[in-house]
Amino acid sequence: MTLYNADKTDLRSDVLDDDYASEDLARDLPKFSFPNHERNPRHVYDAIHDELMLDGNSRQNLATFCTTWLEPEVRDLMAETVDKNMIDKDEYPQTAAIEERCVHMIADLWNAPQSAQTIGCSTTGSSEAAMLGGLAMKWRWRDKRRAEGKPTDKPNLICGPVQICWHKFCRYWDIEIREIPMEGDRLIMTPEEVIKRCDENTIGVVPTLGVTFTGQYEPVAEVSAALDNLQAETGLDIPIHVDGASGAFLAPFCDPILKWDFRLERVVSINASGHKFGLAPLGVGWVVWRDQEHLPKDLIFEVNYLGGNIPTFALNFSRPGGEIICQYYNFLRLGREGYRKIQSACYSTAQALAHQIEKIGPFEMLYDGTGGMPALCWSIKEGADVPYTLFDLADRLRSRGWLVPAYAMPPNREDMAIQRIIVRHGFGRDLADLLVEDMVRAIEHLTKHSPSKSLGREDATVHDHSGR
Ligand SMILES: *Cc1c(COP(=O)(O)O)cnc(C)c1O
């Protein structure tokens, strides 16, 4: 390339100009119509890099459950694996072998009867994993009904206050969702409420380990025992799929006594998000079945045109392999011991925060980080005379970059607004202290300059992260 050409001064200035003095960055960039010309890659990179500053700082996002802190080795592995397509198991046999190893390790972690023979796969996240687990239950229910010569047109699924993926699953696959609403202080499912809703058309019950709204664990073992009784009395044999999006990578390390997994015979499948407390980078989830019998064969496709004859059960086709490789890195790097240390640190930060936040305002802790995820949530005490809402507080905290979402609860507690913090890897005690100081200042400010018209839930929808 010619660096200097007297006739082409444009080219020269293009090469020598400071990026921000360049032609490219002297105007705004196209946003709605497809660009006609090329641009200098460095200029385009700068423009996009700069725009992304406005996204804010993910580490201060206390709404998300997802990984925002990564070891340098994980970043290296991600960069080295950008070209790996997870579906192309013949082209990338080692990536496929690594995925398979992760499935067995996870099955072992969740106490599958024979972890070497369990069947499972990676997905893009818990949502896809939940769909696959749900489909397997629907198929098994339908096969059984057909064999008995009974109608199969009215399947239903029972759950507590679930993450949106189960609403999607039920709507996309024509299943009635029997979601147990919150009542009073009961914010999760109970065995009694589950049993009330069971009938011959129930494809399965889905307890959540780490309910999205509060962080609490639903009582899997108790629900399982109640379903055992129901079977003894009525013959109805209803399986459990556990949505362990967060909890399936927490309980095995921090509460190994708690029975929620394949130790319960009735649990036929479990999903988890590798990119939440599995600590992998964004884009990986897992679903594992108790044994091969619980994944109907006609859900599996054999793909042979990539070479080889590879069975696949997935909603996607092509997808990146790096997250899975990094999940494997985490398993080897941390082991049970490392995960336990990291998650325990999160629990103690969550509990300490709950203790402090309770004291700085008229707040009632609804969940304090014990008996569920490393999270906390609170509401304003009933009858407390405060000149601001939790939506105002959330808004004020944004001025320091903190995202501490306030949102209304789902039915039947829409009347209650709460605020929630998820404590993740990378959010330590010192940062937590700084957050509390900012909260104290925000409360002082809102008390002194009480908003003339407070923010309500309708103002908060843009920032509603309750579902993540
Ligand atoms: C986050 C979450 C999901 C969805 O998981 P993704 O990995 O974001 O697809 C499903 N269920 C629960 C309980 C969750 O917390």
Side-chain angles (χ1 to χ4, degrees), residues 65-66 124-128 130 162-166 208-212 243-246 271-276 284-285 373 467-468:
F65 295 70
C66 293
T124 46
S126 271
S127 302
E128 187 188 5
V162 274
Q163 210 267 353
I164 189 159
C165 71
W166 292 101
T208 300
L209 218 62
V211 169
T212 318
D243 181 351
S246 300
N271 72 269
S273 296
H275 55 216
K276 291 184 178 174
V284 59
M373 300 168 39
R468 295 191 206 159

Side-chain angles (χ1 to χ4, degrees), residues 338-446:
Y339 271 98
R340 182 177 45 75
K341 286 183 184 163
I342 290 171
Q343 323 289 37
S344 301
C346 292
Y347 277 106
S348 74
T349 300
Q351 289 156 9
L353 259 179
H355 197 66
Q356 283 171 287
I357 289 176
E358 213 164 27
K359 287 191 280 197
I360 60 173
F363 302 137
E364 180 183 351
M365 255 328 122
L366 299 170
Y367 173 68
D368 70 352
T370 44
M373 300 168 39
L376 52 147
C377 66
W378 63 93
S379 62
I380 291 183
K381 275 188 186 141
E382 234 180 271
D385 181 23
V386 274
Y388 59 88
T389 63
L390 290 179
F391 299 95
D392 293 320
L393 182 54
D395 188 60
R396 185 79 200 152
L397 285 171
R398 276 189 162 249
S399 66
R400 286 277 286 173
W402 299 112
L403 209 77
V404 186
Y407 51 92
M409 287 293 223
N412 292 332
R413 286 308 312 269
E414 300 97 326
D415 60 300
M416 180 160 63
I418 75 168
Q419 206 166 10
R420 184 196 67 193
I421 289 175
I422 309 290
V423 177
R424 304 184 311 279
H425 190 198
F427 184 68
R429 285 295 271 277
D430 198 57
L431 262 185
D433 278 346
L434 297 172
L435 168 70
V436 172
E437 285 174 22
D438 281 339
M439 287 184 74
V440 169
R441 273 194 287 270
I443 290 169
E444 276 169 12
H445 176 94
L446 289 165

Side-chain angles (χ1 to χ4, degrees), residues 86-235:
M86 197 60 241
I87 194 72
D88 207 345
K89 294 179 203 255
D90 197 52
E91 172 79 23
Y92 307 110
Q94 287 324 110
T95 299
I98 285 174
E99 182 198 29
E100 185 77 24
R101 284 178 217 156
C102 287
V103 169
H104 292 309
M105 288 180 180
I106 291 170
D108 179 42
L109 190 67
W110 297 342
N111 295 295
Q114 294 169 299
S115 63
Q117 268 142 59
T118 35
I119 185 160
C121 57
S122 66
T123 59
T124 46
S126 271
S127 302
E128 187 188 5
M131 302 266 168
L132 302 184
L135 277 173
M137 288 198 297
K138 181 177 177 185
W139 253 240
R140 275 177 51 87
W141 166 83
R142 202 171 57 184
D143 289 348
K144 204 160 103 192
R145 298 278 293 173
R146 278 182 183 154
E148 294 166 352
K150 293 183 177 154
T152 58
D153 56 337
K154 287 201 162 65
N156 70 69
L157 177 132
I158 301 172
C159 57
V162 274
Q163 210 267 353
I164 189 159
C165 71
W166 292 101
H167 290 266
K168 281 191 191 169
F169 166 69
C170 288
R171 196 179 300 172
Y172 292 174
W173 274 279
D174 253 331
I175 294 162
E176 178 199 347
I177 187 162
R178 298 189 174 167
E179 187 177 17
I180 300 166
M182 298 177 171
E183 295 293 349
D185 294 339
R186 181 182 59 66
L187 306 177
I188 54 175
M189 68 162 57
T190 59
E192 301 73 42
E193 293 297 325
V194 169
I195 298 301
K196 271 192 226 167
R197 290 168 175 81
C198 292
D199 61 29
E200 58 177 10
N201 289 316
T202 304
I203 65 168
V205 174
V206 177
T208 300
L209 218 62
V211 169
T212 318
F213 307 99
T214 59
Q216 294 164 290
Y217 287 170
E218 291 192 310
V220 189
E222 288 78 357
V223 168
S224 174
L227 289 169
D228 289 347
N229 286 339
L230 181 77
Q231 184 173 5
E233 285 164 17
T234 65

Side-chain angles (χ1 to χ4, degrees), residues 299-348:
L299 283 171
I300 300 171
F301 287 80
E302 302 282 333
V303 176
N304 59 23
Y305 65 80
L306 294 174
N309 204 10
I310 310 284
T312 140
F313 180 30
L315 301 182
N316 300 71
F317 194 65
S318 296
R319 85 192 141 84
E323 300 81 325
I324 291 140
I325 290 163
C326 292
Q327 182 79 86
Y328 182 59
Y329 167 84
N330 282 338
F331 290 172
L332 296 185
R333 152 83 176 96
L334 296 170
R336 289 177 197 258
E337 183 191 18
Y339 271 98
R340 182 177 45 75
K341 286 183 184 163
I342 290 171
Q343 323 289 37
S344 301
C346 292
Y347 277 106
S348 74

